[in-house]
Amino acid sequence: MLGLRNYWYPVLWGRRLGKRPVPITLCGERLVLIRDGGRAYALQDRCAHRGVPLSIHAGPLGNGVSARQVFPGTWTCGYHGWTYDLKTGTLVAALTDGPDSPICGKVRIQSYPVEERLGLLWVYVGEVGPPPVEDDIPQELLTQPHFMGGRISTREGNWRYATENAIDEAHPRFLHREAVWRYFKQPAPAWNRSRLEYPEDGKYLAYIPYDVHREDDYPGLGKWPQQPWYQHGGRNAQQIAIRLPGMIRVRQPGFTIYSWFVPIDAQHHRYVQTAVKTGTGPRLWAFRAYYWLYMRWVNQHMFNSQDAVMIRGMDSPPERLFRPDLSIIGWRMMCEAARGRGKAVASPAAGVGSEAVELAGVNAGSEGRQG
Ligand code: FES
Ligand SMILES: [Fe+2]
């Protein structure tokens, strides 16, 4: 439940890392981000001497101000002055034991690979040697000019609940039905069937709806849904796809949403959400205004807070999955083939019956090996 290791995760806007170190927790590991000479580094946030976090410093007034660097290329613990090499985590000096301290070179703390792309700091936690960071970033973001608006927040709930919520096909039809973001857009259907596809060489999993029913009669209950007048509108042609280790891509007419669900610990995740418009010129400026004046608040805050309420309240397994959870089953199978695990991706059959879904769901949900 602590996340899929062996992937690059976006954790912080690069501009947020200045002279002060920033402690973060990623996949259950506490680390500290440090900028030195313009480059970002990450070390285990625990001094090997007595276990003090490297990110803390008492300050002259004892008020816990942020630590200062003593020598370039290193970081010094604020307690007794053990000094670590930023690249390797090796202890290069124990300042309070003199230059000939015999412990130098004999102690090492974990250092983590860090890269800066798209204005974000990406950190790699894992055992398998890191691939280039570009392998874990959508290609189009690296190659096309674009505007990216985004926010990073810490949310309650395991990363797996959040990631599965993102690919959960049924919930927008109910949870988000009355969201302000949905006003003057085509209402979600009452229900539909879907099949799974694995576009872009299997990097993504997407669900493709068919047999769409905008409303229906529920025997003995009546017609559903009843749409208020302000929830009628134009087309709502969005395409949703997910990829490892937990990134959702929602292609909307005119722009694309990319979101990462970054594991912190068993009860929290970091939600990195972006809205991207590719291209240049006036259209880009128009989108920038649309983002800052409307979308950031109505979509990224209000709409996605509806999901946050559910993710915070979730408690599973046990669970009973139903037919529209096919996309969740597909995602869980994808996780089984995650980097460092080495299993092939199996495709759940399209149009799978409810019993098969239930079985697959129990298997995927009960084994607790989603990371
Ligand atoms: S605890 Fe870090 S130097 Fe002593
Ligand atoms: Fe949602």
Side-chain angles (χ1 to χ4, degrees):
M1 299 292 272
L2 289 176
L4 296 170
R5 301 168 68 84
N6 306 305
Y7 284 89
W8 291 93
Y9 285 100
V11 295
L12 189 75
W13 296 110
R15 63 175 184 275
R16 292 284 166 92
L17 182 63
K19 283 193 177 135
R20 295 180 173 211
V22 177
I24 61 157
T25 305
L26 177 61
C27 297
E29 299 196 17
R30 286 169 54 199
L31 44 106
V32 55
L33 294 165
I34 296 162
R35 196 177 281 289
D36 176 71
R39 230 197 111 78
Y41 297 89
L43 291 177
Q44 182 183 354
D45 196 13
R46 184 186 184 281
C47 178
H49 178 214
R50 302 292 304 283
V52 162
L54 293 178
S55 55
I56 66 169
H57 197 263
L61 305 175
N63 54 356
V65 297
S66 244
R68 270 173 292 124
Q69 195 175 35
V70 181
F71 298 108
T74 68
W75 192 255
T76 300
C77 175
Y79 204 0
H80 313 94
W82 282 31
T83 299
Y84 299 93
D85 180 75
L86 281 173
K87 282 199 189 95
T88 63
T90 304
L91 183 72
V92 291
L95 300 180
T96 52
D97 190 30
D100 68 340
S101 177
I103 200 163
C104 288
K106 295 190 184 125
V107 172
R108 195 176 155 266
I109 57 170
Q110 180 78 41
S111 65
Y112 299 85
V114 187
E115 294 287 352
E116 204 158 354
R117 298 284 186 286
L118 311 174
L120 287 158
L121 291 170
W122 301 74
V123 178
Y124 184 88
V125 171
E127 294 68 39
V128 183
V133 66
E134 286 79 9
D135 284 12
D136 290 339
I137 302 177
Q139 187 67 17
E140 62 271 24
L141 293 179
L142 296 165
T143 53
Q144 295 179 21
H146 61 263
F147 161 77
M148 175 188 277
R151 40 192 302 163
I152 300 180
S153 47
T154 299
R155 296 201 307 192
E156 284 179 52
N158 189 267
W159 73 279
R160 185 165 70 87
Y161 296 159
T163 312
E164 292 184 350
N165 170 78
I167 195 69
D168 170 342
E169 197 196 338
H171 86 275
R173 297 180 209 147
F174 198 86
L175 175 71
H176 296 311
R177 185 167 289 280
E178 290 169 10
V180 176
W181 176 248
R182 303 283 323 145
Y183 286 14
F184 306 110
K185 292 187 168 79
Q186 187 185 52
W191 63 278
N192 58 255
R193 299 275 173 257
S194 284
R195 65 174 196 279
L196 301 185
E197 284 188 358
Y198 294 85
E200 294 171 53
D201 295 334
K203 249 191 177 172
Y204 286 88
L205 163 73
Y207 58 80
I208 314 295
Y210 66 93
D211 194 12
V212 177
H213 298 255
R214 308 231 69 89
E215 59 179 29
D216 219 332
D217 279 311
Y218 293 77
L221 298 171
K223 203 174 81 154
W224 184 80
Q226 308 279 354
Q227 291 299 337
W229 65 269
Y230 51 82
Q231 286 182 355
H232 291 269
R235 266 177 358 109
N236 179 31
Q238 58 177 22
Q239 286 177 293
I240 299 178
I242 196 167
R243 66 182 268 177
L244 292 165
M247 191 215 87
I248 193 93
R249 181 182 69 192
V250 183
R251 285 196 170 135
Q252 304 263 4
F255 64 91
T256 305
I257 292 168
Y258 297 86
S259 300
W260 284 262
F261 304 94
V262 182
I264 296 179
D265 55 27
Q267 283 87 35
H268 300 86
H269 62 279
R270 187 169 273 110
Y271 184 28
V272 179
Q273 45 180 338
T274 71
V276 173
K277 172 94 177 162
T278 52
T280 53
R283 285 179 164 223
L284 214 62
W285 284 99
F287 182 76
R288 187 186 293 259
Y290 170 76
Y291 172 77
W292 280 104
L293 295 173
Y294 181 74
M295 187 177 171
R296 185 175 174 87
W297 320 108
V298 178
N299 174 270
Q300 291 192 332
H301 181 63
M302 291 158 62
F303 182 85
N304 290 328
S305 291
Q306 293 188 314
D307 297 302
V309 170
M310 295 299 147
I311 293 162
R312 192 163 58 223
M314 273 182 87
D315 177 22
S316 92
E319 59 189 7
R320 287 291 301 270
L321 301 187
F322 73 150
R323 229 169 1 185
D325 290 326
L326 178 68
S327 51
I328 293 180
I329 306 299
W331 161 248
R332 288 178 181 180
M333 288 178 168
M334 220 172 175
C335 289
E336 289 295 317
R339 196 177 285 151
R341 294 186 160 196
K343 291 188 191 170
V345 186
S347 307
V352 65
S354 56
E355 281 157 45
V357 169
E358 189 177 312
L359 273 177
V362 169
N363 288 340
S366 60
E367 62 192 7
R369 287 193 287 115
Q370 293 276 331

